[in-house]
Amino acid sequence: MDKGQKFSVWFFLGALIFAWLFAEYIYKPYAEKQGEVPYSEFLADLDASNVEKVDITEGRITYAVKETTSPDKRPIVGGVILSNKKNKKTENLKSVVRLTDPFLIERLASADIEFGGIAKHDTIIDLFMGIMLPLLPLMIIWYLIFRNMGGVGGAGGIFSFGRSRAKELQGEMTGVHFSDIGGAGEAEVELREIIDFLKDPKRFDKFGAKLPRGVLLVGPPGTGKTLLAKATAGEADVPFFFITGSSFVEMFVGVGAARVRDLFDQAKKKAPCIIFVDEIDAIGQSRMNVYNGNSEQENTLNQLLAEMDGFEDNNGVVIMGATNRPEILDQALMRPGRFDRQIQVVLPTEEGREEILKIHTKKVPLAPEVDLRSVAKVTPGFSGADLANIANEAALLAARHKAEKVSPNDFDLAIERVVAGLQRKTPLTPEIRKKVAYHETGHALVACYLPGSDPVHKVSIIPTTKGALGYTMQRPTEDQYLVSENELKTRMAVMLGGRAAELLVFNEPTTGASNDLERATETARRMVIEFGMSSKLGPVRYAAPAMMYLGGATHIREDTGDDTAVVIDAEIRRLVTEAQEHAINILKEHEKILHEVAGILQEKEVINHEEIQAIVDRDKVEAQSE
Ligand code: ATP
């Protein structure tokens, strides 16, 4: 019996004892208290010959009262007598605390009342009612809790802590094929080989070829890694075992390793098949990285490595893992014979985005004007999951305004929703509205006047559910794989355009620029410590390894000297300050336009690309003619 099973037995016994104590000392006394009357009332009932039947136990007397002949008190509505069962029932049974009454039996006998004594839990039924009944709700709650933790009897349930939770799905049941995945061309080519192998492992044996046992899908969240693994199983028509790394490392110590063992046992019986471990970083985290010595995670990882090593060649089981934190994985996982094949699942290109949108709008009635390519064009950086979300939001919007078909405008609004969140109904006070209007106009105008920045698509001062009081949306014209130093400086100036406008117009900043400052500072920090863009520090990287796909702040290496750290801070400050000054200068130069656009924005709440571009173009023409 492993630790997990022992634990479950103790837990079970503990729950039983608890339930018994609950039944005996809480439920029973409570139940007995219901309908309790004073002894004097019992005697009065006896005297009035109202008592029908009496049960005497050690400390209590329970008796049935005869049906009363009192006038019918049932309510009458519209001439119809309504039943009043509830009242009747509670009035029929009464109980009293048994006092020392030497004449009790005599009284009962002389009144010719049927009476009897029941010792505590005399009958099986009484035992059942006394213990099992109050226990029942507890057992139900208990069952529900454990069912949520993975099923009571089935794999992973309370009676099988050591068993893996891998849900087995037949290949056909995943129902996923490569035709359901958009823009995964390269990953698909690499996975084809695995599919061929799964379809006919013997063929590879003949040539003495060894296939990779483990395939690691690496990429940002929502890029379709799970979908690709499912499609691999679907195409090869083999069973697909799905489990998440975090569910290996359970709340019960000692379970993870047993789960791994069991999962592999199950899978080997079903070979050829695929085991897919999502979020493999939860177990595969480098043993060096895990402070506090998480031995549970380490045991699980060791078991996983041992199982992979113990595979015979080409036994038909392929393990696929997915992670968006490859940088923290234990190197031992990547060695030959383990996850020796890595497939990068990247954010989709424009073409890929169009394909994904097509897949997710297959069943959506689209207006003929909808051009999915142009939706793909304005959504660089969006993952497959984001695009699926946009297609769904657009369909929801169309359904809400009862349109026949989804229009380009629905897609436009859907993109905005995904980026900025839903509009909030809370109105801003005129004073805040004014500040927000200048802030957003600041961003927008710096973007409009600075060459090389992405065009402004929309400026809004309608608060959103993502916490913004307003937003300026820029839309890139193409996917950008490489960004120059100047482009980064331009981006920073645009980020600080809001604060620049506040300083220029109101002479003081507000807290509204906090997120802008965060982004600008992070950009400056990366320019200095990651991209070697500070002449003072030279082409040296001072950044500690960062998360590849999840973003987050970049930190300096621990071995960076104190003097260097001081220069790094100074350089970051210089870059951010320069960007702010740059933004202020642009806005000063176009202050008239700043007031004009901010005024329109306060009035209309939203300004679109065409409107703002027309004002800026007019200003440029006027400037030339002066
Ligand atoms: P995570 O790293 O967050 O677990 P993931 O990379 O495993 O994410 P999936 O769970 O496979 O991503 O994708 C989430 C959803 O996004 C899918 O169910 C699908 O609807 C959609 N999706 C993602 N990528 C694609 C794609 N390339 N083609 C079609 N749909 C996609």
Side-chain angles (χ1 to χ4, degrees):
M1 199 191 307
D2 71 35
K3 272 188 202 167
Q5 279 162 329
K6 255 189 228 162
F7 188 85
S8 72
V9 170
W10 284 117
F11 189 80
F12 183 71
L13 281 177
L16 267 183
I17 291 169
F18 173 76
W20 180 78
L21 288 173
F22 175 81
E24 199 57 32
Y25 294 100
I26 298 176
Y27 176 77
K28 241 186 120 229
Y30 168 78
E32 283 171 353
K33 277 243 175 293
Q34 302 302 304
E36 188 176 289
V37 293
Y39 204 76
S40 55
E41 186 173 329
F42 169 58
L43 293 180
D45 279 337
L46 267 182
D47 291 344
S49 305
N50 267 349
V51 178
E52 215 166 29
K53 189 178 167 206
V54 177
D55 280 333
I56 305 165
T57 61
E58 228 172 87
R60 187 167 287 279
I61 299 170
T62 311
Y63 66 102
V65 187
K66 280 184 191 160
E67 296 261 329
T68 51
T69 50
S70 58
D72 203 335
K73 286 184 186 153
R74 286 174 289 174
I76 300 175
V77 177
V80 178
I81 299 174
L82 301 178
S83 76
N84 202 359
K85 279 185 191 151
K86 204 175 154 205
N87 285 346
K88 219 166 129 188
K89 206 167 184 177
T90 47
E91 277 165 17
N92 273 349
L93 267 186
K94 291 183 179 177
S95 93
V96 283
V97 176
R98 184 177 168 185
L99 301 182
T100 323
D101 181 354
F103 304 107
L104 176 66
I105 303 300
E106 223 171 287
R107 280 187 217 276
L108 295 174
S110 64
D112 200 16
I113 291 170
E114 187 187 330
F115 68 92
I118 310 175
K120 260 188 166 181
H121 309 314
D122 221 8
T123 63
I124 298 278
I125 291 175
D126 188 46
L127 191 75
F128 179 80
M129 299 301 270
I131 293 186
M132 291 312 279
L133 224 56
L135 216 144
L136 215 62
L138 263 177
M139 288 180 104
I140 291 171
I141 294 169
W142 191 48
Y143 170 82
L144 289 175
I145 291 173
F146 279 93
R147 198 182 58 169
N148 283 345
M149 289 170 54
V152 173
I158 43 170
F159 300 113
S160 56
F161 277 123
R163 304 198 59 203
S164 92
R165 283 192 181 186
K167 282 185 225 144
E168 185 202 322
L169 304 164
Q170 294 300 327
E172 302 88 342
M173 279 171 62
T174 69
V176 181
H177 292 272
F178 282 133
S179 57
D180 299 314
I181 306 180
E186 282 170 35
E188 189 182 321
V189 171
E190 296 204 48
L191 288 169
R192 282 270 164 219
E193 198 183 352
I194 309 284
I195 294 167
D196 289 344
F197 161 70
L198 286 165
K199 276 187 174 159
D200 186 7
K202 296 276 173 302
R203 185 156 62 99
F204 286 78
D205 265 353
K206 240 192 313 189
F207 293 97
K210 284 183 198 157
L211 249 111
R213 289 174 191 166
V215 180
L216 193 62
L217 301 173
V218 179
T223 40
K225 297 180 289 295
T226 310
L227 211 55
L228 273 168
K230 282 187 179 166
T232 310
E235 294 279 341
D237 207 10
V238 296
F240 179 74
F241 291 82
F242 174 93
I243 189 149
T244 58
S246 52
S247 65
F248 271 125
V249 187
E250 269 290 346
M251 59 198 277
F252 301 109
V253 180
V255 173
R259 283 230 157 114
V260 173
R261 218 168 23 241
D262 184 59
L263 170 65
F264 278 76
D265 285 349
Q266 277 187 46
K268 276 181 219 158
K269 283 185 211 143
K270 296 271 179 169
C273 67
I274 288 179
I275 296 177
F276 177 63
V277 188
D278 204 0
E279 307 162 21
I280 198 163
D281 40 281
I283 35 171
Q285 205 173 130
S286 167
R287 282 164 284 197
M288 310 256 289
N289 269 349
V290 190
Y291 37 87
N292 299 340
N294 182 347
S295 60
E296 173 63 2
Q297 185 240 310
E298 195 172 326
N299 287 344
T300 310
L301 175 59
N302 286 339
Q303 187 64 39
L304 181 69
L305 297 177
E307 290 289 344
M308 290 181 89
D309 288 344
F311 267 16
E312 300 146 32
D313 288 334
N314 300 354
N315 71 350
V317 181
V318 170
I319 305 152
M320 295 181 80
T323 181
N324 30 46
R325 303 202 58 194
E327 67 279 355
I328 61 161
L329 287 184
D330 200 303
Q331 281 311 305
L333 261 179
M334 320 285 193
R335 281 216 295 272
R338 293 167 181 172
F339 286 100
D340 44 11
R341 187 165 293 197
Q342 278 200 29
I343 299 180
Q344 303 285 332
V345 188
V346 290
L347 286 169
T349 58
E350 190 176 313
E351 229 165 62
R353 293 196 294 276
E354 186 184 358
E355 279 176 34
I356 296 171
L357 284 165
K358 274 189 186 152
I359 289 167
H360 288 280
T361 49
K362 250 187 217 159
K363 292 181 188 151
V364 179
L366 297 180
E369 312 84 74
V370 171
D371 176 15
L372 292 179
R373 185 62 176 214
S374 58
V375 178
K377 233 183 189 34
V378 295
T379 45
F382 282 49
S383 68
D386 293 332
L387 295 165
N389 200 357
I390 285 174
N392 188 46
E393 277 293 335
L396 282 176
L397 280 164
R400 201 162 301 153
H401 55 76
K402 300 196 174 69
E404 292 281 302
K405 301 209 155 140
V406 180
S407 69
N409 191 42
D410 292 326
F411 273 98
D412 236 29
L413 289 175
I415 295 171
E416 272 177 47
R417 279 193 172 186
V418 170
V419 175
L422 295 180
Q423 292 183 352
R424 261 186 10 208
K425 293 277 174 275
T426 29
L428 301 177
T429 62
E431 203 181 320
I432 297 181
R433 218 173 135 89
K434 186 173 176 189
K435 287 198 168 157
V436 177
Y438 272 100
H439 181 104
E440 296 309 329
T441 309
H443 284 305
L445 290 188
V446 175
C448 287
Y449 286 104
L450 257 183
S453 56
D454 295 330
V456 174
H457 173 71
K458 191 174 187 177
V459 191
S460 159
I461 55 164
I462 303 174
T464 73
T465 46
K466 286 198 175 167
L469 294 178
Y471 57 89
T472 302
M473 269 177 91
Q474 291 174 267
R475 282 209 174 152
T477 41
E478 56 189 23
D479 291 11
Q480 237 179 342
Y481 298 104
L482 217 55
V483 189
S484 71
E485 184 176 342
N486 253 331
E487 283 164 334
L488 287 173
K489 286 183 173 171
T490 300
R491 284 184 192 179
M492 283 168 61
V494 175
M495 287 172 202
L496 294 168
R499 184 181 154 97
E502 288 173 17
L503 290 172
L504 195 65
V505 179
F506 305 106
N507 273 325
E508 61 167 2
T510 68
T511 53
S514 119
N515 179 254
D516 301 333
L517 287 180
E518 188 183 332
R519 285 165 51 227
T521 310
E522 179 62 16
T523 307
R525 180 194 301 278
R526 292 189 70 185
M527 286 172 75
V528 174
I529 66 174
E530 200 178 334
F531 308 134
M533 290 177 180
S534 154
S535 51
K536 276 215 176 125
L537 288 154
V540 181
R541 183 188 161 111
Y542 295 100
M547 288 193 271
M548 284 171 72
Y549 297 115
L550 294 185
T554 317
H555 298 284
I556 56 171
R557 287 166 55 129
E558 273 176 18
D559 56 3
T560 308
D562 288 348
D563 292 349
T564 313
V566 171
V567 182
I568 289 173
D569 281 343
E571 281 296 88
I572 294 172
R573 200 176 315 121
R574 177 183 63 80
L575 283 170
V576 179
T577 314
E578 279 176 10
Q580 180 177 290
E581 275 162 13
H582 197 175
I584 292 178
N585 288 338
I586 291 169
L587 295 178
K588 257 190 197 155
E589 204 180 315
H590 304 281
E591 203 168 337
K592 210 177 87 207
I593 303 294
L594 174 67
H595 294 304
E596 181 180 342
V597 176
I600 300 174
L601 200 52
Q602 284 173 79
E603 205 178 296
K604 291 179 55 182
E605 290 194 324
V606 175
I607 301 183
N608 63 26
H609 170 76
E610 288 74 22
E611 288 168 301
I612 199 163
Q613 199 56 50
I615 296 171
V616 170
D617 288 346
R618 191 200 68 213
D619 181 45
K620 283 180 183 166
V621 172
E622 280 173 11
Q624 271 170 5
S625 59
E626 273 169 15

